Every structure is written in C-alpha cells, then in structure tokens.
Amino acid sequence: MTNSLNVAVIGAGVSGLVTARELLRQNHRVTVFEKSNQIGGTWVYNDQVEVDNCLDLDPNRTIVHSSIYKSLRTNLPRPLMGFSDFSFEDKSYGDPRLFPGHEEVLRFLQDFAKEFGVGEVIRFNSEVVRAELRGGGFVVEWWTTEGGYEEECFDAVVVCNGHHTEPRVADNVPGIQEWSRKQIHSHNYRVPEPYQDQVVVVIGSGASAFDISREIATTAKEVHLSSRSSNVKVTKLDGYENIWQHMMIKRVYDDGTIEFQDGYSIVADAILHCTGYKFHFPFLRINDMVHVDDNRVGPLYKHVFLPQLAPRLAFVGLTFNNGVVFRLVELQAKWIALALSGKISLPSKDEMLAYIHKFYQEMDETGIPKRNTHSLSFQFEYVDWLADQVGLHVEDRLKKIVDNLFENWMARPKGYRDVLVL
Ligand code: FAD
C-alpha cells in the first residue's frame, strides 16, 4: 500500500521540474507554483536588472530572479547537465557546443517539461507568499496578478525556489560602506560595455568571478581580481594584458583608492562583488524550525529533510559545487517522492538529528566554515549515497568527466571549454 499525497512544489526551475516529474511518477497529486510566467528559473535570461544598491538592499525592490549574463555559456559540459533518462548530450536546439549558451539549456528544460507532462501541473504567475503548518499538513498562500491572494491545503511541501537571487556582498572590507563610486553584485551584471575604459575590481574566486572578469577585460582599461583564497603577491594573469590577481582588499578610500593586502594600490571606478548568494525562504512560516545561519540551512538531514517534519517538508537543490547539478537534484527528488509514498523509510527524527549534530561537529573540527555546509567540493560521495537510497548508480564516466574538467581548468583556465576530452 503506497501513499498518494497532495504535494505543493515551490518553483519551476530545474529542481521544481524534476521534483514534479518524480512526484507524478509516484502518483502523487502535484501543484507547482511558479512566480514567473515560464519555466526554467535561472536559465531564463532577463536583461532587466534590479536597482543595485548592493550594500544596502531594499527588501521591497522589484526582484529579478535570474543572475545569468548575456554571453553566459555553461561551465559544465553537456553530459554533466542531463537527467538519468533524458540526456542533454544527444539533443541540440541550435547550439551544439559542448558547453552551450544559456538559451540551449532553457530549451532543453522546456523539452523535458513537455516530454513528461510537467507543464500541466504548473500554476504560473503564482508567487508563494506563505507556507505554514496547519493540522497535519500545510497551508500554502500564493499571489497572482489575476486572482489576488489565494490559499489551499497540502499534505507536503517541497521547496525548490533556487539560491542564486539574493546577493551576498563583501561588506566587511574596511571603508567599503562609505565608498561612493559604483558597486554592483554579479546578480546585476549583464554586459561588459558599461565598463569601457574603466578600472574595475572584481571580488571573488568562483565561476562567475572567473568568467565575468575576463569578459569585462575586453572593454575595461584594467581589471583587478581580489579573493580571500589568494595568497600570492600581485601577478598579471597568464594570457591577459590587463588583468591582475591580488590578495584580499585591505582597505578602500573614498577618493577611489583600493589598497590590497599585497601592498599594491590602485584607483578604481567600480567594484563588482562576485561573492555569491544567500539562501532565502521568505515564505516559510514553520514556527522557527528552519534557520539560515551564515548560509547554513538547518537543521537538515542530508541537505533535504527537516527531521521534525520529514518527509512532509523537503528542500531540493541547496547543495553547491556539485559537478552534476541536474542529476543530483533528480536523485533528491526521487528520494523525496519515494519517502512520501512510504516506499522507502527514513531514519527516526532523533537519528536524523544525531546525524546532523555529528556532521556539524565534524565540519567544526576540520575547520570548514559554516557557510560551506552545503558545498560538496565536487566530490561524489553524497551523490553516490543518494543514488544508493533510490536503487540507482551514477556512471563512472560522469565522475571521470568532472576530473578531466578540473585538470583542464587548472592547466588551461583561458580555454578550458575548448579542450575537454570526454
Ligand atoms: P532556479 O533555477 O533558481 O529556479 C527557482 C524557481 O523558483 C524560479 O523559476 C523562480 O521564479 C521560482 N520561485 C522562487 N521563489 C518563488 C516563490 N515564492 N513562489 C513561486 N515561485 C518561486 N548549473 C549547471 O548545471 N551548469 C552551469 O553551467 C551552471 N551555470 C550557472 C551560472 C550562473 C551564473 C548561476 C547563477 C548558476 C549556474 N548554475 C549552473 C546553477 C543553476 O543555478 C542550476 O543549474 C539550476 O538552475 C538551479 O535550479 P533550481 O530549480 O534549484 O533554482
């Protein structure tokens, strides 16, 4: 005997689409709430930007969901961006490159939704504003331009609202709060033209800092990269005439001067924060059971279940530095759908809490900062564990591709997309 539940899914990006598909496959009744008028989440390019006062964000600003810029190509190759039974590798929608542009990913997701009938269960233009415990389930309230506020009861809620929208900034750099020149977050970066002939400082060391700094260097006079992970003295970046790498910023001054810890100073026109994003669940009202503390969403068992409410409240897609985002969220979705059906059981609440406690303790002991709780450091241990829960196996070939990608990235950062061997 399996359960068929009434499940609300919040968001129709990759996580929400694959979650809906897995829930439908297990005969649950599914409603996906999507605040925009289309599927795809991050992969829906929007040339609009928010009013960017990044050090003092207005909570009432009009929020633009996607953070992708106009020229963005994937940083993972096609084989790492497919689902177990719906490959990206053998499809082409006009851009056959191994690392295609963002439009191609959106088309792939549209194709996926069509193939599995997911579109039929999505309510578009429906922004969830409240998900609250009521009786043994949840009441979900949403807002639509046509209907105003509406609400409905569900047995379970799966949160798939994404985590690349709410900027996190380097606000602890001495003097940066008072720096009156241009400062923006990569969330609002679209094209390099506004930086023509300027001196730009890019803070960060992730994929966005890497790609955006190189794109800005095509128009800017100088680009200076600064990151807390760099401990080398100022160096010119290999293969570029106008990009320099620095240690962290020591202090900024109101006349535009930026002093780095490597002793080097410049006068800059703009600072671009490529410093990541915050998890943000403004609609969750569940008696303070979930907290976001220095980007740790907790307490969550294996980044998915809140022990007190498992499996009726679950999160998909919180992990980062994954290597295989699409496959990973697919496995999380399968795990949730099977747990809700009663086909697989979860540990008891106390066992889950004990596991989480131990996990946090081990992080502390090994010096891993709280903000990296959901980072998988491109390791496959978690993915393999999830696959095991749902009776699947992740092909060794994908792991090999991730290894090759890293080797390339280290050896030929400038052209890593052009030389990958599958
Ligand atoms: P999202 O795509 O953010 O979708 C969330 C959805 O929820 C959105 O549609 C949003 O409108 C909706 N929503 C939010 N709040 C509400 C609400 N209250 N009510 C209703 N709907 C709501 N991954 C890769 O695999 N390869 C890459 O090359 C890659 N490059 C990236 C580059 C950049 C610049 C960024 C920012 C991310 C990149 N990623 C990449 C990661 C990417 O985020 C994931 O691939 C994936 O898009 C995450 O999907 P998601 O569904 O979890 O979130």
Side-chain angles (χ1 to χ4, degrees), residues 317-362:
L318 298 193
T319 59
F320 54 92
N321 294 342
N322 292 306
V324 281
V325 185
F326 290 31
R327 287 295 285 280
L328 186 145
V329 294
E330 181 186 15
L331 290 169
Q332 290 181 328
K334 282 181 193 289
W335 189 34
I336 295 164
L338 288 168
L340 286 171
S341 303
K343 288 186 181 170
I344 56 173
S345 48
L346 297 173
S348 70
K349 180 182 103 179
D350 288 343
E351 284 166 339
M352 287 192 247
L353 286 169
Y355 175 88
I356 297 165
H357 181 72
K358 189 162 162 270
F359 174 54
Y360 290 168
Q361 206 172 13
E362 281 170 6

Side-chain angles (χ1 to χ4, degrees), residues 9-17 33-36 38-44 65-69 72-77 80-81 105 109 126-129 160-165 207-208 277 282-283 316-318 323-326 329 417:
V9 175
I10 303 174
V14 179
S15 301
L17 293 173
F33 293 96
E34 170 50 54
K35 69 179 178 183
S36 76
Q38 59 175 307
I39 66 155
T42 286
W43 297 99
V44 180
H65 184 80
S66 179
S67 300
I68 60 177
Y69 43 93
L72 182 132
R73 284 176 71 187
T74 64
N75 48 40
L76 297 176
L80 302 181
M81 290 185 66
V105 184
L109 293 175
S126 300
E127 176 172 3
V128 171
V129 291
C160 304
N161 67 327
H163 55 87
H164 291 113
T165 297
S208 294
Y277 296 87
F283 46 81
V316 174
L318 298 193
V324 281
V325 185
F326 290 31
V329 294
R417 289 184 175 93

Side-chain angles (χ1 to χ4, degrees), residues 35 40 45 57 59 65 161 196 200 214 272 297 301 354 369 388:
K35 69 179 178 183
Y45 173 72
L57 276 184
H65 184 80
N161 67 327
Q196 185 79 43
V200 183
R214 282 144 180 90
L272 180 56
V297 186
Y301 178 62
D388 206 37

Side-chain angles (χ1 to χ4, degrees), residues 209-229:
F210 184 93
D211 282 339
I212 293 174
S213 55
R214 282 144 180 90
E215 178 164 280
I216 288 185
T218 60
T219 61
K221 184 170 159 212
E222 293 173 15
V223 175
H224 296 266
L225 273 165
S226 165
S227 90
R228 61 180 159 209
S229 57

